[in-house]
């Protein structure tokens, strides 16, 4: 970051001395006011609970222009990556800063492929869960449990440990998600196959059985790979910020990523794809497109607590570029599977049309986000609704690791320790119980 040729001056109307604060500029995006010395100089904190106006770090990985609806991974537009690259190339880009050439791609793919198996002991963790346990509950447990198997490489301050942990996590997440699925349907776990692509191997572990040959459908394989690309990273979203804060204590990468999985589960974040599909199914059950108007009235009624899941975003105040690409993928998959008349897809497109014309949404700049169409395409592929967020976690793991490694690799980083505005009881004495 570079020092701007202007500064911020904070003055107080009560005569307290004004303070000057330096302003830093990135390569694109808003300038930042450096308030690191504010408390020492004024005895005051800033107040920004949802981090609406706070840059928590500097980063070189992903940039979002919310007004333009633009998303760049290391400078490359998501539209170009989703069209011209595959997920492992995107992983290499996010982790190391550049797209691999053919030789580097071959080497990276081979490293990931050769780490896709999990320790045989991992399967016994699943036996402790009910068969109907939510896959995100299982994933939160399994990812954290990985740290119990790699004592030789959990020193996050060791660059080699960080690199091998990154490879292991990217490689093993599909295996773990597929195991969570197989456990829920009472089928045997399927081992990874090294002759399949990353997405093809995931499909095979999900849907193959020991009883017959499973052929990966190339259209589905490509769609799955694109879904992974679209979910790979997204600046300092809630789960990435969780991973950074968790990792800032120096804990091991597996524990930090497990914290990200837990945060992503929430319906306001990665859990929105599951919630969105359930919303579409509810409207469909109530009568489908004819009931959209009634549903939208509920959404606009603050007291209903009903939100249009898959819509709105803290940063995008324009169309989420991933939603557009997801809708395209939806079209491709549904057509390839002969489901182009899928009622939920029609309903979603009708909902989007109505919302984008409705003043409530226009005024609040609410557009479809990545979660609006992703559930429809995953359902068409045969992924159960409860597993949608697990697939989001699978894809986002590379982003979480890249962001964690960027933070740990910065010699200036410190443990994250926010302060507060205290509005509770001032000091008081404990009274004997007889007098309370
Ligand atoms: C992801 O941060 C990321 O980058 C996340 C993510 C990633 O890749 O990591 O992009 C992935 O989490 C996408 C978002 C998925 N969540 C949903 O689809 C759930 C539905 N969306 C909302 O909960 C909401 O839009 C958020 C949480 C996404 C954003 O919330 P903000 O930024 O805190 O905005 P807000 O709640 O203050 O909303 C502003 C206004 C409010 O109305 P007013 O009080 O101004 O009258 O818009 C309304 C909100 O009530 N609003 C919605 C709405 N989202 C916001 N009203 C109806 N339906 C919605 N979906």
């Amino acid at each position: 970051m570079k020092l701007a040729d202007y500064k911020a001056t904070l003055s107080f109307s009560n005569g307290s001395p004004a303070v000057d604060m330096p302003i830093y500029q990135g390569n694109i995006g808003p300038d930042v006011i450096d308030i690191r010395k504010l408390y020492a100089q004024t005895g005051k904190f800033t107040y920004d609970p949802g981090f609406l106006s706070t840059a928590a770090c500097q980063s070189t990985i992903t940039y979002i222009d919310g007004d333009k609806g633009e998303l760049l991974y290391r400078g490359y537009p998501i539209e170009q990556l989703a069209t011209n690259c595959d997920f492992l190339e995107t992983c290499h880009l996010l982790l190391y800063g550049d797209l691999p050439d053919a030789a580097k791609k071959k080497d990276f793919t081979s490293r990931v492929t050769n780490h896709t198996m999990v320790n045989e002991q991992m399967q016994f963790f699943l036996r402790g869960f009910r068969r109907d346990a939510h896959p995100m509950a299982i994933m939160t447990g399994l990812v954290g449990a990985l740290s119990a198997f790699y004592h030789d490489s959990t020193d996050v301050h060791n660059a080699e440990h960080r690199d091998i942990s990154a490879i292991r996590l990217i490689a093993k997440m599909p295996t773990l998600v597929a195991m969570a699925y197989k456990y829920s349907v009472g089928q045997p776990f399927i081992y990874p196959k090294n002759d399949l692509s990353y997405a093809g191997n995931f499909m095979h572990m999900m849907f193959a059985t020991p009883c017959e040959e499973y052929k990966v459908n190339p259209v589905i394989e490509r769609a799955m790979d694109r879904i992974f690309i679209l979910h790979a990273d997204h600046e300092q979203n809630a789960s990435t910020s969780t991973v950074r804060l968790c990792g800032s204590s120096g804990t091991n990468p597996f524990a930090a990523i497990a914290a990200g999985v837990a945060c992503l589960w929430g319906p306001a974040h990665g859990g929105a794809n599951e919630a969105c599909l359930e919303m579409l199914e509810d409207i469909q059950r109530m009568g489908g497109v004819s009931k959209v108007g009634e549903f939208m009235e509920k959404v606009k009624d603050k007291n209903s607590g009903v939100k249009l899941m898959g819509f709105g975003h803290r940063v995008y105040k324009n169309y989420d570029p991933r939603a557009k690409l997801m809708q395209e993928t939806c079209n491709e998959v549904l057509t390839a599977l002969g489901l182009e008349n899928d009622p939920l897809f029609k309903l979603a497109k009708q909902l989007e049309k109505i919302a984008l014309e409705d003043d409530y949404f226009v005024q609040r700049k609410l557009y479809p986000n990545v979660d609006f169409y992703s559930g429809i395409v995953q359902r068409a592929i045969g992924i159960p609704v409860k597993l949608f967020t697990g697939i989001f976690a699978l894809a986002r793991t590379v982003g979480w690791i890249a962001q964690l490694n960027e933070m740990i690799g910065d010699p200036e980083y410190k443990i994250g320790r926010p302060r507060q505005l205290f509005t509770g009881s001032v000091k008081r004495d404990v009274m004997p119980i007889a007098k309370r």
Side-chain angles (χ1 to χ4, degrees):
M1 64 187 185
K2 54 182 181 289
L3 192 59
D5 57 5
Y6 68 108
K7 63 187 179 189
T9 300
L10 180 62
S11 61
F12 298 92
S13 57
N14 64 358
S16 304
V19 288
D20 288 341
M21 289 166 285
I23 290 179
Y24 288 97
Q25 295 171 316
N27 297 340
I28 35 178
D31 293 352
V32 296
I33 301 169
D34 183 350
I35 59 166
R36 284 174 286 186
K37 295 197 173 66
L38 182 74
Y39 179 56
Q41 289 170 334
T42 69
K44 292 177 178 58
F45 299 140
T46 58
Y47 185 67
D48 187 11
F51 308 117
L52 288 142
S53 303
T54 295
C57 64
Q58 58 177 303
S59 181
T60 61
I61 300 173
T62 294
Y63 178 71
I64 302 168
D65 184 319
D67 296 328
K68 287 190 207 154
E70 192 175 68
L71 169 59
L72 308 175
Y73 289 169
R74 301 279 191 185
Y76 293 106
I78 191 69
E79 295 82 357
Q80 293 184 32
L81 291 168
T83 312
N84 304 314
C85 300
D86 66 21
F87 180 63
L88 286 184
E89 288 175 271
T90 307
C91 287
H92 187 284
L93 172 67
L94 289 168
L95 282 177
Y96 306 121
D98 239 321
L99 286 168
D101 58 21
K104 284 191 182 140
K105 178 176 178 179
K106 188 166 179 285
D107 172 59
F108 184 74
T109 302
S110 155
R111 290 181 72 208
V112 170
T113 302
N114 289 304
H115 282 279
T116 47
M117 277 207 297
V118 294
N119 187 297
E120 278 294 281
Q121 292 293 99
M122 288 294 286
Q123 62 184 294
F124 302 118
F125 287 116
L126 284 113
R127 289 184 184 167
F129 292 107
R130 289 172 25 167
R131 290 277 180 180
D132 64 350
H134 194 288
M136 287 302 277
I138 296 175
M139 287 305 294
T140 307
L142 290 184
V143 175
L146 280 175
S147 52
F149 294 88
Y150 301 109
H151 297 127
D152 64 329
S153 61
T154 52
D155 174 5
V156 75
H157 295 291
N158 177 323
E160 280 168 25
H161 289 194
R162 289 201 299 270
D163 195 46
I164 183 59
S165 300
I167 296 293
R168 279 175 168 148
L169 278 157
I170 292 166
K172 298 179 195 303
M173 283 300 274
T175 311
L176 296 177
V177 172
M179 287 172 77
Y181 170 64
K182 285 302 200 187
Y183 184 72
S184 74
V185 293
Q187 287 184 1
F189 302 129
I190 299 295
Y191 285 100
K193 276 172 65 80
N194 291 354
D195 59 347
L196 294 175
S197 71
Y198 187 87
N201 182 40
F202 175 63
M203 300 306 291
H204 185 263
M205 291 188 290
M206 280 284 292
F207 299 119
T209 66
C211 323
E212 57 190 6
E213 189 65 23
Y214 173 82
K215 287 292 287 168
V216 176
N217 174 331
V219 174
I220 307 292
E221 181 180 15
R222 179 64 192 137
M224 203 74 246
D225 192 82
R226 178 182 276 197
I227 288 171
F228 294 158
I229 292 173
L230 295 180
H231 287 86
D233 193 47
H234 214 239
E235 278 194 9
Q236 307 311 317
N237 58 83
S239 53
T240 298
S241 301
T242 300
V243 169
R244 278 182 173 256
L245 191 56
C246 182
S248 74
S249 72
T251 190
N252 68 78
F254 303 101
I257 300 304
V261 172
C263 175
L264 188 75
W265 191 0
H269 189 15
N273 50 20
E274 175 182 342
C276 180
L277 198 95
E278 284 164 356
M279 171 191 77
L280 292 170
E281 286 177 333
D282 286 349
I283 299 171
Q284 193 59 22
R285 258 194 302 277
M286 288 188 306
V289 174
S290 64
K291 290 292 179 186
V292 166
E294 188 183 317
F295 176 76
M296 295 301 259
E297 286 317 304
K298 263 195 230 157
V299 168
K300 293 188 280 187
D301 168 12
K302 285 276 177 237
N303 304 320
S304 73
V306 173
K307 285 201 186 278
L308 183 56
M309 300 312 279
F311 256 73
H313 199 275
R314 173 62 56 77
V315 178
Y316 288 122
K317 300 308 171 191
N318 198 328
Y319 214 100
D320 182 335
R322 302 169 298 175
K324 276 196 189 102
L325 291 160
M326 196 66 81
Q327 191 187 75
E328 272 171 36
T329 303
C330 230
N331 261 322
E332 284 162 22
V333 169
L334 293 172
T335 306
L337 297 175
L339 300 170
E340 48 273 59
N341 293 319
D342 178 282
L344 285 193
F345 190 43
K346 281 179 176 295
L347 176 60
K349 287 196 282 189
Q350 184 63 16
L351 255 179
E352 174 190 335
K353 183 175 177 303
I354 292 172
L356 296 184
E357 290 163 0
D358 186 301
D359 210 34
Y360 176 94
F361 288 81
V362 173
Q363 265 177 14
R364 292 169 176 80
K365 298 187 177 179
L366 302 176
Y367 290 86
N369 59 50
V370 68
D371 293 307
F372 191 62
Y373 288 104
S374 69
I376 300 169
V377 58
Q378 291 184 74
R379 176 176 162 273
I381 289 174
I383 310 273
V385 179
K386 292 271 179 245
L387 205 69
F388 290 173
T389 311
I391 289 183
F392 193 154
L394 182 170
R396 184 54 56 89
T397 293
V398 62
W400 287 331
I401 297 166
Q403 298 272 351
L404 173 65
N405 288 353
E406 179 178 70
M407 175 187 74
I408 298 290
D410 172 357
E412 270 190 19
Y413 102 88
K414 300 172 85 63
I415 186 168
R417 206 288 185 204
R419 304 303 299 273
Q420 62 180 10
L421 174 68
F422 183 71
T423 54
S425 298
V426 295
K427 191 161 73 174
R428 54 181 171 162
D429 297 325
V430 173
M431 301 304 284
I433 192 161
K435 292 192 172 169
R436 284 180 212 157

